[in-house]
Amino acid sequence: MNTTIDIQIDDFIDYMKAEKGASAQTLRAYTSDLGQLASFIDDEDFPNDPKAIELIHLRRFVASRFDENKPASIARKISAIRSFWSFMVKKRVIEKNPSELLEVPKVSQPLRNYMTVDEIFHLLESNQSDGVLGLRD
């Protein structure tokens, strides 16, 4: 069995498409994210054998992405990496998932829009009618 990272990534993408029914957008994103990981492994002269990849290699890849990507994109990359390595365990290519301890960066939520004090008073005053329904509303 050929265990190079590139071949395993291709197998994983085929699995995501055929068995998991992943959307075209997810497949594109995961292909890109895992391709970046494979290039990083090659550029850094890390071993191209999945059995030799460790958590430190994956952390270095994630750290290298912080200058170019927003936290949401990094979180997606980590999701792709975790899914890939879980697939590798499931296929029995490796025994232990090195990505289990990867930490996902916090993704900031947009601030909610609140009403101003004037808008609240306007709302409260807008429905002033006499009678039982007016009191209820």
Side-chain angles (χ1 to χ4, degrees):
M1 169 184 358
N2 195 334
T3 58
T4 64
I5 296 287
D6 294 319
I7 291 171
Q8 296 301 329
I9 289 172
D10 290 342
D11 288 350
F12 172 69
I13 296 301
D14 290 343
Y15 162 79
M16 291 292 292
K17 183 177 182 180
E19 294 187 36
K20 291 290 187 178
S23 71
Q25 180 67 25
T26 299
L27 294 172
R28 275 192 301 275
Y30 276 31
T31 299
S32 173
D33 295 340
L34 295 173
Q36 290 172 6
L37 173 63
S39 294
F40 181 80
I41 287 170
D42 189 48
D43 292 346
E44 295 292 315
D45 291 328
F46 293 152
N48 199 11
D49 181 355
K51 295 175 186 170
I53 298 297
E54 298 178 7
L55 176 61
I56 189 69
H57 301 120
L58 300 177
R59 281 187 175 156
R60 285 184 58 188
F61 168 71
V62 171
S64 75
R65 307 313 305 164
F66 271 92
D67 288 340
E68 298 175 24
N69 297 110
K70 294 180 179 179
S73 296
I74 293 172
R76 189 200 62 232
K77 289 177 190 311
I78 291 172
S79 176
I81 290 168
R82 285 180 176 169
S83 295
F84 172 69
W85 291 105
S86 293
F87 168 77
M88 299 288 283
V89 170
K90 183 177 179 179
K91 275 185 56 178
R92 299 177 196 243
V93 173
I94 59 173
E95 292 180 22
K96 189 172 186 302
N97 183 343
S99 69
E100 287 177 334
L101 298 178
L102 275 180
E103 295 179 19
V104 179
K106 282 195 171 188
V107 179
S108 62
Q109 300 290 329
L111 294 176
R112 295 182 179 152
N113 292 329
Y114 293 100
M115 296 174 71
T116 65
V117 173
D118 290 337
E119 291 170 330
I120 293 170
F121 280 121
H122 178 70
L123 178 65
L124 292 172
E125 294 169 356
S126 68
N127 194 14
Q128 293 204 0
S129 62
D130 293 329
V132 177
L133 293 179
L135 291 173
R136 182 199 69 189
D137 293 341

